[in-house]
Amino acid sequence: MVDETRRREAYVRSEHFLTWATGATEPGTGLPSRASIGRIAPRAFPFVGVVSVVACPLLLVVFLAARHDVGSPAVARAIAALYFLGVVPGFVIQRYVLRLPVTSPFETMLSSMLLGVFLTPVLWYLVNLAGVALVFGPMIVGLGVAVPLACRWHRGVAGRLRRLVTPGDVPILWVALLVTLVWSYELSPTEHRDGHVVFVTPWGDHCVYASLVGELARGVPPEQIPFIAGPKRAGYHYMSFVWCDLLRRASGADTLDTYFYIALPLRYLFISFACYLALVVRFGRLRAVVGVACMLGFVLYPTSLFMHVLLMYVHWNYPAAFGIAGMFLVLHLVSLVSRGNHRPLLLCAVLVSVVLLWYKANHALLIAGAAALFSAVVLVRRRDWRWLITCLGVSGVLVGMKCLEYSSADLRASLVTAPFAFVEFWWNSKEVYLPIWWESPPLAILGEGTTRAVVDGLPALLRFPAMLGLCLIRSFPIPIGIGLYLVIGCGFARVRSRVQAFDWMAVLLVVSSIAVFVLFPVQKEVMWNVVGPGFSLINALLFALMGPAVCRALRRPYRHGRVVATITTVLLAAVFVWNGFALRGKAFWQTRQKCATLSEPLYACFQHIERSTPTDAVILQPRYTSGTSFAPVAAMVTQRRVVLECGERLSMYYDTAPIMSDLSAFYATADPVEARAILERYQVDYVVTDTSAMRLPAGEALLRPVFHCGEATVFRVERQETASVRTARRG
């Protein structure tokens, strides 16, 4: 009887709630009537944005904690750090320092977060140089509390949240979350296969990046973060690792968890939001959301039918994500120039583009050039000479600082100025992004033979442009088609109409990327290393513009009849269904590429070093007679500095011959004195050996075993005591 009474009371309460929410119910059911269903949406619709802005971060926290076994409090603290390290500092800079024009609250929040992400690590670096690093944390927390109080954000919180994220802003939140979940599904750097530990991080780059973050975690200054013995300063873009170290400090997680399971997923959020900001002013919300989905979701290349270089490049190169996001942020700032108050916008665009030199120098060189040229043209046309000098002066000073820093580094790439050298390499290589037409004769009208024979037979003045044109057509078929459709069918960047700032800047970026292939210095050992980012920028920009093109293609056929509209819709649907299968294969399977293979005992030794040795220890890891080295893997797993052994890989950046000679002598000598001198020269504290592949003839007198697993052993180097030390011990 009691249960029946409670059931009736619950039923009455639910009926009263539905009556209040809808205004009417179906007789005898307590359910909304058909006439009142339309009244539910107007009352619930304003709260969609509030629910989404709360639900999306929570779902991301739950996913990362459940999928990758990261503590949910650590992920939640990292998400909260986006407010303290991104939104608040960025808001102060753009509202009170630079006084940028006011946009919608949602766009202001996103742009503030991205601006803070780029500038807060620079501030942290400057504070460290000044020796007052202890004030940074309290300053950021105090700023995060003081700014809302000063701006009175705490008054009318519900109404402010509804205005902050309107229902029209909701789709980008869910699309960004979906893209992040898809590309972050497979992030674990190791797998156990057949008694071995297989490292599946692509090309070992993430091993190097995680090692650099580990150096920062040990307090090594950013400009001195090479994790190998020998070089003291590295000419590298390291601010992305400073940002990762800030996330580590905020989340409380260890270095590897922070890098792989927090920092790597967040890069897709940054790219998504930056792309949305770049497109929304020019094309509107819907087309901007579709553009984000196309840029990060249109793959269609697991079968090698097409090649989307952006996704591959962002996947295995962490700093590249900051270069792509920075390009879109610059586009967003430029697109606001037509709204008035152009001076702070151009200055901020130039500042962000040059700061990218410390995040991804390859991208920054062409983005900064395009931003400086655009700013110069706008300011000259307005005869604003003072701000022209200011913008170019800021750009010149920062570029000069980076050049001085790079020239003073002893670990840097050797560049050679050789116009068309990369084009020649691109033409003659079958392994750069996509193969050239080798044996097909599409240019038979120019003569007999294959395409390559025809082009190679042209005069030099015609040969190089022909090579460049064919390489571009072969490597960018879809982006070129998107660009032509936008220009011809959508009036994009037409001179006869009033061209918007976004159009001009987009054209400048594409032209700058193509000019990079021709004019940039090259690295002889790795020809594509310097100019390769041009591929990702072209793909990022034109695949983002695929969103407006698709929306236009879906809307336009309806003017030509139902048949044309049906055929167009079916074709586009087929393409995107096929792309869905391709995305599933690429994101969930093909990202698991083998980088290196370690035996279980050797991996256990590396884990022991990480758990049981001082953080400033120097490790000498196994080196086999075949030349195989696990230096990046050892540095990542142990989170310790290692002695350089991958001499062939890094010889293009640093003279590794003396180190390689010393190590060969250490493994070959039977003289303990010579072996000790080599160990002390590189300040080695622990030596890891695999007895199945190597021997240490002089090791017994110098090394003391501290951990053993299978055929792998960790030895501690016994330091030679001086007379004063022995006297002190006896006393």
Side-chain angles (χ1 to χ4, degrees), residues 16 190 258 491:
H16 287 171
T190 60
T258 302

Side-chain angles (χ1 to χ4, degrees), residues 296-603:
L296 292 176
F298 193 81
V299 289
L300 209 63
Y301 75 100
T303 57
S304 299
L305 181 60
F306 298 113
M307 190 73 161
H308 193 345
V309 180
L310 167 70
L311 295 176
M312 178 188 71
Y313 199 61
V314 170
H315 172 65
W316 61 263
N317 192 290
Y318 178 62
F322 290 84
I324 301 298
M327 177 193 69
F328 284 123
L329 182 58
V330 170
L331 272 171
H332 168 67
L333 295 170
V334 166
S335 64
L336 296 174
V337 169
S338 59
R339 295 187 176 183
N341 199 12
H342 62 281
R343 291 176 172 179
L345 288 168
L346 294 177
L347 178 60
C348 188
V350 169
L351 179 64
V352 171
S353 65
V354 180
V355 168
L356 286 178
L357 287 170
W358 282 269
Y359 284 92
K360 186 61 178 175
N362 315 53
H363 286 154
L365 289 173
L366 58 95
I367 297 173
L373 180 58
F374 179 86
S375 301
V377 171
V378 172
L379 294 172
V380 167
R381 292 181 63 182
R382 298 172 184 260
R383 298 186 179 183
D384 197 344
W385 310 114
R386 187 180 66 179
W387 276 88
L388 174 64
I389 295 174
T390 301
C391 291
L392 297 183
V394 169
S395 178
V397 169
L398 292 178
V399 171
M401 291 174 57
K402 184 62 180 178
C403 290
L404 289 176
E405 178 185 301
Y406 185 80
S407 61
S408 63
D410 50 5
L411 179 63
R412 65 180 191 271
S414 56
L415 304 179
V416 178
T417 302
F420 282 100
F422 176 73
V423 176
E424 186 82 31
F425 170 75
W426 195 4
W427 176 255
N428 292 323
S429 176
K430 294 184 179 181
E431 299 178 356
V432 178
Y433 300 111
L434 277 182
I436 307 300
W437 294 310
W438 290 97
E439 303 300 332
S440 58
L443 299 182
I445 57 174
L446 300 179
E448 297 181 358
T450 63
T451 301
R452 178 170 181 174
V454 172
V455 174
D456 289 344
L458 295 175
L461 291 178
L462 298 177
R463 178 171 173 266
F464 287 109
M467 289 163 47
L468 177 62
L470 288 174
C471 288
L472 291 174
I473 293 172
R474 185 65 180 92
S475 292
F476 303 107
I478 294 181
I480 290 176
I482 295 171
L484 292 176
Y485 179 78
L486 287 171
V487 173
I488 298 174
C490 305
F492 182 83
R494 287 190 181 179
V495 179
R496 67 184 182 185
S497 61
R498 184 179 179 182
V499 181
Q500 298 194 26
F502 176 91
D503 300 7
W504 280 121
M505 190 63 188
V507 172
L508 276 177
L509 287 170
V510 173
V511 173
S512 300
S513 300
I514 297 175
V516 162
F517 301 146
V518 179
L519 301 176
F520 255 38
V522 295
Q523 200 173 338
K524 283 189 174 181
E525 299 84 359
V526 188
M527 292 286 289
W528 49 265
N529 192 31
V530 177
V531 302
F535 287 84
S536 61
L537 285 185
I538 293 177
N539 278 272
L541 184 56
L542 292 178
F543 271 97
L545 292 174
M546 183 179 177
V550 168
C551 293
R552 175 76 173 182
L554 287 173
R555 188 186 66 175
R556 193 170 185 177
Y558 286 94
R559 302 176 182 176
H560 301 280
R562 186 173 300 177
V563 176
V564 176
T566 302
I567 294 175
T568 304
T569 304
V570 170
L571 289 177
L572 287 175
V575 170
F576 280 94
V577 168
W578 170 248
N579 177 76
F581 285 103
L583 178 63
R584 176 173 174 264
K586 180 62 181 175
F588 298 150
W589 294 316
Q590 296 191 14
T591 54
R592 310 299 290 169
Q593 302 172 3
K594 186 173 72 171
C595 162
T597 302
L598 292 181
S599 64
E600 291 277 5
L602 194 58
Y603 184 66

